[in-house]
Amino acid sequence: MATASDTGNPPRPLAPRLRVGDGIPVFSLPNTSGVSVSSTVLLEPGPLIITFYRGIWCPYCRSDLMALMNATFEVQSRGGSLAAIARETAPNSNRRFQQQHRVDFPILNDATAAVARSFGIGWTEAYLQSLYDQFVADRTGDSPEPSWIEPMQARYVVARDGTIAYVDINTDYRVAPELAAAMAALRRL
């Protein structure tokens, strides 16, 4: 099966991505204690920086989470808050990471990738199927589950009213979203 890279066409994301000026979709996801946290509650105190990760298992994502942790004081001093969204692939992996590194902002589990899809930052099922076909020797015809969708690494700065003030989406998972630019957008709010 030809892949997007074989044909010279780049892989396609799921849906049109949200842009600066768009409102974020209202969502609710469980935190590392299993308590549902809504975007509405996250926005109550002020602006919000939301960062999507492929998963805590990803070393690039963990490194970016550590950088975000180092920015927590400045974000909070400007009336903002932080939230990380990562699909948990191993039981309690998000919780262990949060406890081990004393992360004091929520790490939310987007188990079905529904929130990533609503932001338009996942890959199409056809692209994922091409990847699946490359790595699976058993050609039984099984398709990847929709919950297998991994988001692109992305960072949003969202104004208190839910409007996106800044967005950085990286299709190359090795490149972290630009934290300095997100902090500058937060300062302007």
Side-chain angles (χ1 to χ4, degrees):
M1 173 179 257
T3 66
S5 60
D6 294 336
T7 62
N9 297 323
R12 300 278 184 236
L14 285 168
R17 297 176 187 156
L18 296 179
R19 301 179 193 288
V20 170
D22 291 342
I24 64 166
V26 175
F27 63 85
S28 187
L29 292 170
N31 66 14
T32 58
S33 298
V35 176
S36 187
V37 177
S38 76
S39 55
T40 306
V41 169
L42 290 169
L43 285 165
E44 281 177 2
L48 172 65
I49 296 177
I50 302 171
T51 303
F52 284 86
Y53 295 103
R54 298 169 65 228
I56 297 298
W57 52 266
C58 170
Y60 301 101
C61 300
R62 285 193 312 267
S63 176
D64 187 61
L65 259 172
M66 299 302 287
L68 201 55
M69 280 178 38
N70 291 332
T72 301
F73 178 77
E74 182 181 352
V75 170
Q76 292 173 344
S77 71
R78 298 190 175 280
S81 57
L82 302 159
I85 299 176
R87 181 169 169 254
E88 187 169 60
T89 55
N92 297 313
S93 58
N94 291 352
R95 183 182 197 136
R96 278 191 303 277
F97 182 87
Q98 188 172 38
Q99 290 173 342
Q100 179 182 6
H101 297 286
R102 297 187 178 137
V103 177
D104 63 353
F105 53 85
I107 299 176
L108 306 174
N109 182 19
D110 190 11
T112 63
V115 175
R117 282 194 300 269
S118 72
F119 276 70
I121 55 169
W123 302 105
T124 61
E125 287 185 40
Y127 177 67
L128 291 176
Q129 183 67 52
S130 72
L131 291 177
Y132 182 80
D133 288 344
Q134 290 176 47
F135 295 107
V136 175
D138 176 17
R139 304 282 187 210
T140 61
D142 291 337
S143 295
E145 295 293 322
S147 63
W148 191 68
I149 293 171
E150 289 184 10
M152 298 169 194
Q153 252 182 285
R155 183 166 288 131
Y156 297 85
V157 176
V158 183
R160 189 174 188 182
D161 68 358
T163 303
I164 297 171
Y166 170 83
V167 62
D168 185 1
I169 301 168
N170 290 313
T171 57
D172 182 348
Y173 66 89
R174 298 167 293 185
V175 179
E178 181 59 49
L179 183 56
M183 295 303 292
L186 179 69
R187 288 183 206 105
R188 289 189 297 270
L189 290 177

